[in-house]
Amino acid sequence: MFFQKEDNKAIIRSFLDLQLLKEDENKFFESDMADANFDLLKTSANIIKNTFNYPVAWDNYTKLNIGLYGEQFLDCIKKVTNTSVNNDHICPHIQNLYLSSLRFFFEIDFMLKEGEDEHEGFKKSISGMNIKKEAVSNTINELFDNEFKLELLYIINSTPLLITKNLFHSEQIKLFSTFDEKRLTAEETLNNIASSKEEITKKISDFQTELEQKEQTVENLQATLDKQETAFNFVGLYKGFNELAKRKQKEATNTFCFLIVLAFSLIAFPLSAMISIYNPNDISQSSAISTHLLNLLPLISLEIILLYFFRVVLHNYKSIKAQVLQVELRQTLCQFIQNYADYSKEIKKDDPAVLEKFENLIFSGIISDAENLPSTFDGMDQITKLLSFLKRT
């Protein structure tokens, strides 16, 4: 963006406001050379005014000269604007401004296509044909020195060549110059893709197969974990029964030892008492017999008490043995009912009471009274039904 910049537009506006440009004829100079320079100034002002009115078009179509002579063009405008009319140096400044303006004019004229609306509008707004005719005429005008005319000829003839050269080395032209190379590369890439299609398809198939195998492995592991979880639950139940069985076994052993002690006491105390008081000479005396019986009364009382405790301990021992039997039965049942939860759901769909006795046996409390114990074989008919159902499924 060059002509659209506010700073540059301010410089151009100052130039266009010059009183010198407001006159149609030369009223400031009094020679033929002065008249010729005044014509150059009016032509330059015509071009510069168009850049001010249509900055976007000039930015788009004069990129070459903007890059090469943009700052020089602004400098020429400043010199003419800031130089007095009566100053002898204003004529070279006017000629330099004219040459700079023509560079931009010939570039935009070259870039716009003949016959298009944009080009026709440009010609109407700037009288392009008159400017070109005037430029050619000035190349042979005797009023200008040779250096000016040579520079003018160079601008007229070289501007199209410079624009063409710049376009030839642009990225757009390079793209066309490498078109064949890129086409060959693209064809080679397509061939490689076609040749790799079968290999890619095979790899996808292998990957799909491997994925299915992995999925099956995961499903197997999931099933195994489910079984292990169920087994762990029953292992925990079995462990609890096992700990209870150990305590009951220890309790039964202690009770049995205490029972042996009581039985030994029931026998030992009377024998020791009889031995201590036995005297063959006193047997015939009735008074001695009475005395011995009186002496045995405390022992008899002790025997009665020991006999009572013996019976109590014996009953307790039987109760503990019955409890141990119940715990062992529960342990035995826990060893084969691994998938009880899943199986019970399926079985109870057909017969809700099929596991009722089994559940009552497994989850009932430990009964201490041997007479009220459930039969060891209670629920065996239900267990038989359970096994038959498992065999069918």
Side-chain angles (χ1 to χ4, degrees):
M1 189 173 68
F2 181 78
F3 292 103
Q4 299 177 68
K5 288 181 64 174
E6 291 300 326
D7 293 343
N8 297 344
K9 291 178 73 173
I11 294 172
I12 295 173
R13 188 182 297 109
S14 298
F15 169 77
L16 295 176
D17 290 338
L18 287 175
Q19 184 63 33
L20 181 63
L21 301 177
K22 299 182 183 300
E23 302 293 338
D24 294 331
E25 297 180 358
N26 179 16
K27 296 182 180 181
F28 299 91
F29 311 108
E30 298 179 354
S31 65
D32 293 337
M33 181 64 186
D35 290 338
N37 283 325
F38 184 76
D39 292 337
L40 296 182
L41 181 62
K42 296 293 284 186
T43 300
S44 300
N46 187 19
I47 296 173
I48 294 171
K49 184 178 180 181
N50 197 270
T51 64
F52 184 81
N53 293 332
Y54 306 99
V56 177
W58 285 85
D59 278 336
N60 291 335
Y61 295 111
T62 60
K63 294 180 180 179
L64 175 63
N65 279 288
I66 287 174
L68 295 176
Y69 303 106
E71 295 302 324
Q72 180 182 334
F73 179 58
L74 292 177
D75 188 58
C76 291
I77 294 175
K78 291 178 184 178
K79 288 179 179 180
V80 174
T81 303
N82 298 326
T83 303
S84 173
V85 176
N86 298 321
N87 194 321
D88 294 336
H89 296 290
I90 193 172
C91 290
H93 294 332
I94 291 174
Q95 292 178 7
N96 290 333
L97 178 60
Y98 175 74
L99 294 175
S100 294
S101 301
L102 284 182
R103 287 191 179 95
F104 286 89
F105 169 78
F106 279 114
E107 181 177 2
I108 194 172
D109 182 70
F110 181 85
M111 295 298 295
L112 292 174
K113 186 178 180 181
E114 294 284 347
E116 289 189 349
D117 294 339
E118 192 174 16
H119 185 269
E120 296 301 321
F122 169 74
K123 287 196 303 181
K124 291 179 181 179
S125 65
I126 201 172
S127 301
M129 186 58 67
N130 294 333
I131 293 175
K132 286 187 279 187
K133 289 179 180 180
E134 181 189 28
V136 173
S137 175
N138 287 333
T139 59
I140 57 175
N141 193 333
E142 298 296 334
L143 296 175
F144 300 113
D145 57 26
N146 291 330
E147 184 179 355
F148 173 80
K149 290 187 285 187
L150 287 174
E151 184 67 22
L152 183 56
L153 281 171
Y154 175 77
I155 292 173
I156 296 172
N157 296 319
S158 66
T159 299
L161 295 176
L162 291 174
I163 296 172
T164 304
K165 181 180 178 181
N166 184 64
L167 290 174
F168 181 78
H169 293 287
S170 64
E171 292 297 326
Q172 293 86 342
I173 300 300
K174 287 183 179 179
L175 181 64
F176 285 103
S177 64
T178 59
F179 175 77
D180 290 336
E181 180 181 353
K182 293 184 181 298
R183 180 178 59 81
L184 292 175
T185 303
E187 290 178 354
E188 183 178 355
T189 302
L190 290 174
N191 291 333
N192 291 335
I193 292 174
S195 61
S196 302
K197 179 179 179 181
E198 184 178 353
E199 182 180 357
I200 294 173
T201 304
K202 185 177 182 301
K203 287 184 177 180
I204 293 175
S205 178
D206 294 341
F207 178 76
Q208 184 68 27
T209 302
E210 183 179 359
L211 183 62
E212 292 175 356
Q213 292 175 352
K214 296 292 185 183
E215 184 178 358
Q216 184 62 39
T217 302
V218 170
E219 291 177 356
N220 294 337
L221 289 174
Q222 180 66 36
T224 302
L225 288 175
D226 292 340
K227 292 180 181 179
Q228 292 298 326
E229 182 182 5
T230 304
F232 179 78
N233 292 334
F234 282 99
V235 166
L237 183 61
Y238 181 88
K239 184 178 179 181
F241 282 135
N242 190 49
E243 293 293 331
L244 181 61
K246 288 181 180 180
R247 290 197 301 269
K248 290 299 179 180
Q249 288 286 2
K250 185 177 180 180
E251 185 179 350
T253 302
N254 294 335
T255 303
F256 182 74
C257 292
F258 187 55
L259 191 65
I260 295 298
V261 171
L262 288 176
F264 179 77
S265 298
L266 285 172
I267 298 173
F269 286 148
L271 288 178
S272 61
M274 291 178 64
I275 293 173
S276 62
I277 66 174
Y278 177 72
N279 188 350
N281 297 324
D282 295 337
I283 295 176
S284 59
Q285 300 179 6
S286 59
S287 60
I289 294 172
S290 300
T291 302
H292 290 322
L293 289 175
L294 291 174
N295 291 333
L296 289 174
L297 284 176
L299 178 61
I300 294 171
S301 300
L302 178 62
E303 284 293 304
I304 293 172
I305 293 173
L306 290 176
L307 185 62
Y308 172 75
F309 278 109
F310 180 82
R311 183 180 178 184
V312 171
V313 172
L314 179 61
H315 183 272
N316 190 33
Y317 177 72
K318 290 181 179 180
S319 175
I320 293 173
K321 294 297 290 183
Q323 293 174 20
V324 170
L325 179 62
Q326 295 174 66
V327 171
E328 289 178 348
L329 176 60
R330 284 165 170 78
Q331 287 180 290
T332 302
L333 293 175
C334 286
Q335 290 177 353
F336 73 90
I337 307 298
Q338 292 291 328
N339 293 320
Y340 167 75
D342 293 335
Y343 291 152
S344 63
K345 291 179 182 179
E346 296 180 4
I347 294 173
K348 288 183 178 181
K349 291 179 182 178
D350 300 329
D351 186 2
V354 66
L355 293 175
E356 182 177 354
K357 290 187 178 181
F358 171 77
E359 291 173 347
N360 292 337
L361 180 61
I362 285 293
F363 299 108
S364 63
I366 304 298
I367 300 174
S368 59
D369 189 356
E371 294 180 357
N372 295 327
L373 291 176
S375 173
T376 303
F377 299 101
D378 276 356
M380 288 304 295
D381 56 338
Q382 305 299 333
I383 295 174
T384 302
K385 291 182 180 180
L386 171 63
L387 295 177
S388 299
F389 179 81
L390 296 178
K391 185 176 181 182
R392 290 197 306 270
T393 57

